[in-house]
Amino acid sequence: MLRKIVLLAISLVVAGVLASCSALEGDGRHLTPLSGATKSRLAAMGSSPQAAMMIRIFKEESALEVWKQTAGGSYKLFQTYEICTWSGELGPKFYEGDRQAPEGFYTITPGLMNPNSNYYLAFNLGFPNRYDRTHGRTGSHLMVHGACSSAGCYAMEDEQIAEIYALARESFTGGNRSFEVQIFPFRMTPDNMAKHQSSEHIDFWNNIKQGYDYFEVASTPPAWDVCDGRYVFRQPSAVNATASMAGSCQAVVADPTIVSAFQARQSADAAAIQSAIVQLADAEAAAAEAEQRRLNAEAEMAARGEAINNAVDGFFGTLFSPLDALAPSQPETAPQGTPQG
């Protein structure tokens, strides 16, 4: 009888543990399949759920892009999602507790996926990466997650993170060992770069723009490393790329076609940035001149109004001054003690 009671108690404990695990895993939301519509859209663009993927995030635009690899090897934009909220301001994360969402290049492996997140679903960005550690930056639990609440993270609506999570899950199922997340302060256009030239982060942004430009010209995400404290980028299949980066810290190591296109884009953007800087300076000067003219006009009107008021006061003062002579005079009062006549 005692043995039965003990076995029953053990069974209840095991059942409780299993129930706790089930509760921890929630309702299996991390296993929610992609919709038929999503699969059809992937097929229409020449991709599949199991194909490789990449994510780009733009803070200023509050946009998260999912790119999928096509049968031809290049990547195409699958979907742009609006980021519900992100923490901090433009610029990289520096230290634990600064409530700043990071910027840079992050490699997401299956171990960084979090199906049990308190924020619906999530994946960890893996901050700090090698670049961050090189610069002594600290922080932990930097995520892309649901629940639309952020403290150093990128928060999505639950329905959005569910689809993004499923896309990543299926990509891993297809044999891909990781996917890349590229995080930028804004779309790295010449106009935006010119607008932010005075930022303390401009050198860092010029550096990560090289990775942005690589993807723009190659239509495939670069592999990245760190050399002399800077991001360096290479074609994943480039031969002796590591040795080349270690030797000279080239901006891009890739086949001649990609390097040529990259250099052409960099040169064109540099010229466009300088032109945009001049245009911004001219616009600011014109705005300052217009503001000064407005202030001068207001001052002139105020002075004119004051002069008119003074003239009116002077006119009426002169007009009524003769009446003072007609006012009855007051009898003189004899000094006290003086005899009266």
Side-chain angles (χ1 to χ4, degrees), residues 263-325:
Q263 292 175 341
R265 183 183 178 91
Q266 289 267 292
S267 297
D269 278 6
I273 289 169
Q274 290 304 311
S275 176
I277 290 174
V278 172
Q279 291 177 6
L280 285 172
D282 290 345
E284 290 175 359
E289 184 178 348
E291 177 64 10
Q292 189 58 54
R293 286 198 301 268
R294 185 185 67 79
L295 294 174
N296 292 343
E298 288 183 354
E300 184 178 345
M301 289 181 64
R304 187 178 302 169
E306 184 177 359
I308 291 173
N309 289 336
N310 290 338
V312 170
D313 290 344
F315 170 76
F316 282 105
T318 303
L319 179 65
F320 291 107
S321 59
L323 297 179
D324 294 340

Side-chain angles (χ1 to χ4, degrees), residues 34-329:
L34 290 170
S35 68
T38 296
K39 293 178 181 178
S40 295
R41 288 178 55 210
L42 288 168
M45 61 184 281
S47 186
S48 69
Q50 290 74 37
M53 65 179 280
M54 187 198 79
I55 288 176
R56 291 201 304 186
I57 291 175
F58 301 98
K59 279 184 176 178
E60 194 166 57
E61 293 82 359
S62 291
L64 183 151
E65 298 176 344
V66 171
W67 293 71
K68 290 286 288 182
Q69 189 177 37
T70 64
S74 63
Y75 282 64
K76 289 185 179 180
L77 178 63
F78 168 71
Q79 178 74 25
T80 300
Y81 304 85
E82 182 179 358
I83 297 172
C84 188
T85 184
W86 52 271
S87 182
E89 55 190 22
L90 300 184
K93 182 176 182 66
F94 289 97
Y95 59 88
E96 181 87 50
D98 64 2
R99 301 180 69 85
Q100 180 76 358
E103 296 173 5
F105 291 75
Y106 298 88
T107 302
I108 314 303
T109 59
L112 294 176
M113 305 298 289
N114 185 4
N116 305 318
S117 173
N118 291 328
Y119 297 90
Y120 196 76
L121 289 169
F123 60 83
N124 195 314
L125 289 169
F127 182 97
N129 65 10
R130 183 177 175 184
Y131 178 94
D132 301 318
R133 293 193 300 273
T134 298
H135 291 273
R137 298 176 181 176
T138 59
S140 57
H141 309 300
L142 281 303
M143 307 272 183
V144 176
H145 60 67
C148 193
S149 175
S150 176
C153 300
Y154 294 95
M156 315 296 295
E157 296 287 356
D158 291 349
E159 183 179 355
Q160 295 173 323
I161 193 62
E163 181 168 77
I164 296 167
Y165 193 98
L167 287 165
R169 182 195 67 223
E170 294 304 313
S171 179
F172 291 135
T173 300
N176 297 287
R177 301 174 63 182
S178 65
F179 67 90
E180 188 172 292
V181 176
Q182 305 176 355
I183 308 176
F184 303 101
F186 40 75
R187 297 190 184 279
M188 312 297 274
T189 64
D191 285 346
N192 281 338
M193 295 299 292
K195 184 172 67 174
H196 294 284
Q197 280 296 303
S198 61
S199 171
E200 62 182 309
H201 308 304
I202 191 62
D203 286 342
F204 171 69
W205 292 341
N206 282 330
N207 183 199
I208 63 176
K209 182 179 182 296
Q210 293 173 349
Y212 176 92
D213 289 343
Y214 179 101
F215 180 72
E216 290 291 306
V217 301
S219 297
T220 58
W224 62 268
D225 207 329
V226 180
C227 183
D228 287 349
R230 296 176 64 80
Y231 279 108
V232 286
F233 305 94
R234 65 178 175 84
Q235 188 175 3
S237 60
V239 178
N240 297 325
T242 301
S244 297
M245 288 190 298
S248 61
C249 295
Q250 292 174 259
V252 164
V253 177
D255 66 52
T257 301
I258 293 176
V259 171
S260 177
F262 170 83
Q263 292 175 341
R265 183 183 178 91
Q266 289 267 292
S267 297
D269 278 6
I273 289 169
Q274 290 304 311
S275 176
I277 290 174
V278 172
Q279 291 177 6
L280 285 172
D282 290 345
E284 290 175 359
E289 184 178 348
E291 177 64 10
Q292 189 58 54
R293 286 198 301 268
R294 185 185 67 79
L295 294 174
N296 292 343
E298 288 183 354
E300 184 178 345
M301 289 181 64
R304 187 178 302 169
E306 184 177 359
I308 291 173
N309 289 336
N310 290 338
V312 170
D313 290 344
F315 170 76
F316 282 105
T318 303
L319 179 65
F320 291 107
S321 59
L323 297 179
D324 294 340
L326 301 178
S329 59

